[in-house]
Amino acid sequence: MRRSPLFWWLVFAGGILLSFSVALAQEKLIFGYSAPGLGDEGQWNIQKGFVDKCKELGIEVIVTDAQQSAEKQNNDIETLIARGVHAICAVPHDSAAISIAVQKCNEAGIPFFTIDRGVTAGNVVLTVKADNVKAGAIAGEVMLRLLQGKYNGVAKGKVLEIRGQPGQDVAEQRAQGFHQVLEKYPDIQIISLPGYWNTEEGFKITVDTLTANPDLDGIYYHADLYIPGIVEGVKAVKGEFAKVGEPGHIFILGIDGNPAGLDQVEAKLADGVVVQPLRDYGALIVPIIVDYLKRGEEALPKPGTVLVEEGASWSPAMVVQTAAGLEIWTNVFYVDYLGAGDPNLWGNKPRE
Amino acid sequence: MRKREFLKFLLDNSVWIIIVVFFTLNAFLTPKFFTLLNFRNILIHSSILGIVVIGESLCLLSGHFDLSVESTLALSAVLGSMAVKNGLSIPLAIGIMLMSGMLVGFANGTLIRKLGLNAFVATLITYIGIRGTALGIVEGKTIWNLPAAFCFFGAGNIGILPVQIVLLAVLYLLFHAVLIYTKFGRHVYLVGDNQLAARISGINVDRVVITVFMLSGLLSAFAGLVMAGRLNSASPLFGTGMVFEAMSAAIIGGISLRGGIGSLFMALGGVVLLSSISNVLNLHAVSPYWIQTIRALMILFAVTLDSLKRRLVRYEE
């Protein structure tokens, strides 16, 4: 039987369509990762965890570095949109300024995720971050215990809080948790000053506050990058540094758990640190992004549930619906000098 | 005549007079401000910025900007700290640091004088590129726990005096003398005042400008050594935003943005004033949300006083 030319055209077109679908099915996923600035240990590790998990799952990832510039981060994200990535994940440098780029991403139909910080406007599918309020509260409870130990069970004393950037959600939440615990005790005075995530500023604040308050009992810092400045600041004013357990020791504790921070805790220069699982944010969010691209909203965890994974440092993590959108708040925990050497902590893991 | 001389004295030393007023007020208003320990703190806080300001002032006096000072500081701190951590001797590490600064300065000067780039653009390129290089070398890692001998310039003491304060005084005296008493110093002022006239009068403008930038780079790199020692660590983020503080200090001290006018002694006044303002705000434990606004208002107050004084002098004349 002789086939009509139309039949053969249909077969040809079908073949081409089939090859396209096979090609599309096998197309490698490409994710964009927009870092706010890779100049500190924390951001470097968040990025590393994300890239490692992508590599493990065979996903190509394009990393951009905004170098602490909100404008550059917006440009970076626009470039990723133009590149046609399948999904974008960012750690916002400025939660408000990045909203413009998020909205452009929404218009382009590219799902947008964030780690560590939320955004002010625009549709973010999911944010993974540490429970910063809890981290601040843990630090507050430890400080309370230390003060009570010093003053025979009485909750009193004077504490310096070296904050991050005022107004930034992470800094605000770390302050909120700490204040929630200690403000119940009127005899504990908290002196709060902004360090703007700057080591030298931490040094200056320590020196000035110790000069004005020689009876300072403790220092709470929002990020480990302050530690070298705090230690040297105490030395500069007091002439020497009393380690943990030595007479005249000033209680020092904070949040992060980076290599420098853990080292100082192990060396008994600081009392302890609340560790957030920076390196494992990627391990948590990347599989969810992949699943979301396949199944859409169904792939997202439901608010109110608790995610648990045996042995994972982020576990247990709470799923929370906030005004900013769906968020996963990972576990945070406190380590003192006995636990600071644990090789499983992200700050003790080799960089490569 | 005497009145006019007095007014000239006031004008020439306006920033120091403002500092005297500021210190007197705070002696009564700020607890623990008027103590030897706190004066020592203010000078320690002033030292790193002060060293950077010497370099920035040289550039401004010659009629140029140097935006790369803070990146040069960070690169130097990172290079030196990596060198000592990798077993190089401390003198060699310091040599590498200072050399890196001079090279950045040489690049700046060459881009400006030989390629004809605007100083703002040329130093913006190095400002970005050099911090990027520091970042690339350590991949964001903070280097800490440096050898005590390496930290001497930042955290050591000579007798009862912190080395930082001694360095600040020595460097200001040295560069003040260079500017006032040497041919090179006079050439810097002349080039800044009128480049064309300087060239016609036989001054090698290229050589003066390139030397000025090399000195600026050298001083920034030295400030990197002091900061690494002071904080017993090094990070590619060191000095972030310092270029604006350095320029503000120089300008508050009366150094003209157009070049050729001003003195290092006054620029030092600008540095001490800025550091004192931050110190007072910390001593008062001002709310974290208002501290920047209050700092800006205090600077505005100081600059307004200076401006009023200048108007008064013009009126009297």
Side-chain angles (χ1 to χ4, degrees):
Chain A
M1 193 175 78
R2 192 167 179 269
R3 306 276 184 197
S4 75
L6 181 66
F7 172 81
W8 292 113
W9 274 113
L10 284 174
V11 169
F12 178 68
I16 288 187
L17 270 176
L18 189 67
S19 344
F20 263 114
S21 351
V22 170
L24 278 173
Q26 289 177 339
E27 189 191 4
K28 199 175 181 185
L29 283 175
I30 305 174
F31 290 175
Y33 181 86
S34 169
L38 293 171
D40 72 77
E41 292 277 354
Q43 289 306 325
W44 190 89
N45 271 283
I46 295 176
Q47 172 264 156
K48 174 80 175 148
F50 188 90
V51 171
D52 282 353
K53 192 66 188 177
C54 284
K55 277 185 190 164
E56 186 192 315
L57 298 178
I59 300 160
E60 190 183 328
V61 56
I62 301 168
V63 177
T64 60
D65 178 6
Q67 295 159 14
Q68 310 297 340
S69 158
E71 190 198 355
K72 184 171 183 312
Q73 186 160 44
N74 277 344
N75 294 341
D76 288 345
I77 293 169
E78 282 178 26
T79 309
L80 291 171
I81 295 170
R83 175 68 179 75
V85 296
H86 295 95
I88 294 175
C89 184
V91 178
H93 171 67
D94 182 312
S95 298
I98 201 174
S99 301
I100 301 159
V102 177
Q103 281 161 354
K104 284 187 181 164
C105 218
N106 295 157
E107 284 163 19
I110 298 171
F112 195 89
F113 300 79
T114 66
I115 293 178
D116 201 31
R117 300 161 198 169
V119 306
T120 309
N123 182 18
V124 174
V125 179
L126 176 72
T127 297
V128 170
K129 63 183 188 182
D131 189 339
N132 285 300
V133 179
K134 184 178 167 189
I138 292 174
E141 277 156 14
V142 176
M143 187 62 83
L144 174 66
R145 225 170 45 228
L146 291 169
L147 291 173
Q148 284 173 327
K150 182 176 177 180
Y151 294 111
N152 301 319
V154 181
K156 65 173 190 174
K158 208 179 265 185
V159 179
L160 166 66
E161 178 193 20
I162 305 179
R163 293 193 177 196
Q165 179 78 33
Q168 200 180 57
D169 59 355
V170 171
E172 292 303 318
Q173 288 163 2
R174 289 177 185 185
Q176 186 193 336
F178 189 74
H179 283 251
Q180 268 172 8
V181 173
L182 293 186
E183 279 176 355
K184 290 177 201 152
Y185 303 91
D187 292 334
I188 296 177
Q189 184 194 345
I190 305 173
I191 301 162
S192 296
L193 286 165
Y196 310 103
W197 310 120
N198 180 322
T199 309
E200 197 198 1
E201 205 57 45
F203 169 79
K204 290 178 179 175
I205 288 172
T206 304
V207 166
D208 291 342
T209 308
L210 265 176
T211 303
N213 306 276
D215 55 341
L216 193 73
D217 295 294
I219 299 174
Y220 161 58
Y221 56 83
H222 280 200
D224 279 346
L225 58 87
Y226 292 127
I227 291 193
I230 293 171
V231 173
E232 294 307 313
V234 173
K235 277 187 203 167
V237 177
K238 300 252 176 192
E240 57 183 3
F241 186 87
K243 289 186 176 184
V244 176
E246 291 177 357
H249 170 68
I250 293 172
F251 306 128
I252 299 172
L253 53 94
I255 300 176
D256 257 359
N258 80 20
L262 293 174
D263 232 38
Q264 309 278 22
V265 172
E266 221 179 342
K268 294 193 176 181
L269 296 174
D271 294 76
V273 64
V274 182
V275 179
Q276 44 173 349
L278 298 188
R279 193 78 166 257
D280 291 335
Y281 287 150
L284 179 58
I285 200 169
V286 171
I288 297 177
I289 300 175
V290 174
D291 206 16
Y292 178 82
L293 290 174
K294 285 182 196 156
R295 301 194 294 133
E297 299 281 333
E298 267 182 41
L300 298 175
K302 301 287 170 280
T305 53
V306 177
L307 307 178
V308 181
E309 188 179 306
E310 191 72 31
S313 64
W314 54 261
S315 174
M318 277 201 314
V319 185
V320 185
Q321 185 69 49
T322 70
L326 189 67
E327 295 187 350
I328 298 178
W329 291 359
T330 65
N331 184 34
V332 286
F333 50 92
Y334 180 77
V335 294
D336 59 13
Y337 73 94
L338 294 171
D342 182 349
N344 293 316
L345 298 174
W346 70 265
N348 290 331
K349 286 183 183 172
R351 283 170 72 93
E352 295 305 328
Chain B
M1 189 62 190
R2 268 191 183 171
K3 195 174 177 185
R4 187 167 289 183
E5 273 170 9
F6 178 68
L7 283 170
K8 189 177 179 310
F9 172 81
L10 275 185
L11 184 62
D12 287 348
N13 297 284
S14 56
V15 73
W16 288 105
I17 291 161
I18 292 165
I19 287 172
V20 170
V21 173
F22 185 82
F23 272 51
T24 312
L25 283 175
N26 281 290
F28 297 103
L29 300 175
T30 308
K32 302 278 169 69
F33 177 82
F34 212 77
T35 60
L36 269 180
L37 177 63
N38 196 50
F39 292 159
R40 177 178 165 272
N41 293 346
I42 291 172
L43 289 175
I44 287 177
H45 295 343
S46 301
S47 70
I48 295 167
L49 177 65
I51 295 168
V52 172
V53 166
I54 299 174
E56 191 64 67
S57 299
L58 291 175
C59 292
L60 288 171
L61 287 172
S62 74
H64 298 84
F65 290 106
D66 186 356
L67 299 179
S68 67
V69 284
E70 57 169 71
S71 307
T72 310
L73 180 153
L75 178 70
S76 154
V78 162
L79 282 177
S81 306
M82 278 197 73
V84 289
K85 279 288 187 183
N86 284 300
L88 264 68
S89 70
I90 290 169
L92 188 57
I94 294 174
I96 291 170
M97 295 171 88
L98 300 182
M99 191 58 77
S100 72
M102 284 202 287
L103 277 175
V104 175
F106 181 75
N108 282 333
T110 310
L111 286 173
I112 295 161
R113 294 308 304 178
K114 302 296 179 189
L115 289 185
L117 291 188
N118 176 288
F120 190 89
V121 176
T123 58
L124 181 69
I125 293 168
T126 44
Y127 163 79
I128 298 166
I130 296 302
R131 194 175 288 283
T133 308
L135 191 61
I137 290 171
V138 290
E139 290 188 323
K141 196 176 167 190
T142 301
I143 304 162
W144 72 95
N145 209 6
L146 303 169
F150 184 76
C151 296
F152 175 76
F153 292 100
N157 288 296
I158 298 174
I160 54 160
L161 277 178
V163 175
Q164 277 183 282
I165 297 176
V166 177
L167 282 173
L168 186 70
V170 168
L171 286 172
Y172 268 87
L173 286 174
L174 176 71
F175 279 91
H176 183 72
V178 166
L179 278 174
I180 303 299
Y181 301 114
T182 68
K183 200 159 75 174
F184 168 74
R186 286 191 292 276
H187 287 178
V188 171
Y189 276 99
L190 281 171
V191 168
D193 189 39
N194 189 333
Q195 216 174 94
L196 186 65
R199 191 164 38 229
I200 290 168
S201 64
I203 294 171
N204 186 337
V205 176
D206 287 3
R207 190 188 293 167
V208 171
V209 173
I210 291 173
T211 309
V212 159
F213 275 95
M214 285 178 75
L215 284 172
S216 176
L218 177 72
L219 286 159
S220 303
F222 190 69
L225 171 66
V226 177
M227 190 182 273
R230 179 71 273 170
L231 301 174
N232 191 15
S233 60
S235 152
L237 295 180
F238 268 11
T240 307
M242 190 180 263
V243 63
F244 301 109
E245 267 190 280
M247 284 203 179
S248 310
I251 293 163
I252 289 169
I255 291 186
S256 167
L257 279 174
R258 292 178 189 166
I261 298 172
S263 78
L264 275 190
F265 185 58
M266 299 295 280
L268 176 64
V271 173
V272 173
L273 183 64
L274 282 184
S275 298
S276 308
I277 288 173
S278 297
N279 171 263
V280 164
L281 294 173
N282 284 343
L283 291 179
H284 275 292
V286 172
S287 157
Y289 303 104
W290 288 103
I291 200 163
Q292 293 290 52
T293 313
I294 295 168
R295 183 175 290 151
L297 287 174
M298 283 177 143
I299 295 170
L300 177 68
F301 175 69
V303 177
T304 310
L305 271 186
D306 185 53
S307 161
L308 282 175
K309 204 167 291 155
R310 282 165 198 273
R311 282 186 189 190
L312 182 71
V313 169
R314 273 203 295 271
Y315 175 75
E316 289 293 334
E317 280 174 356

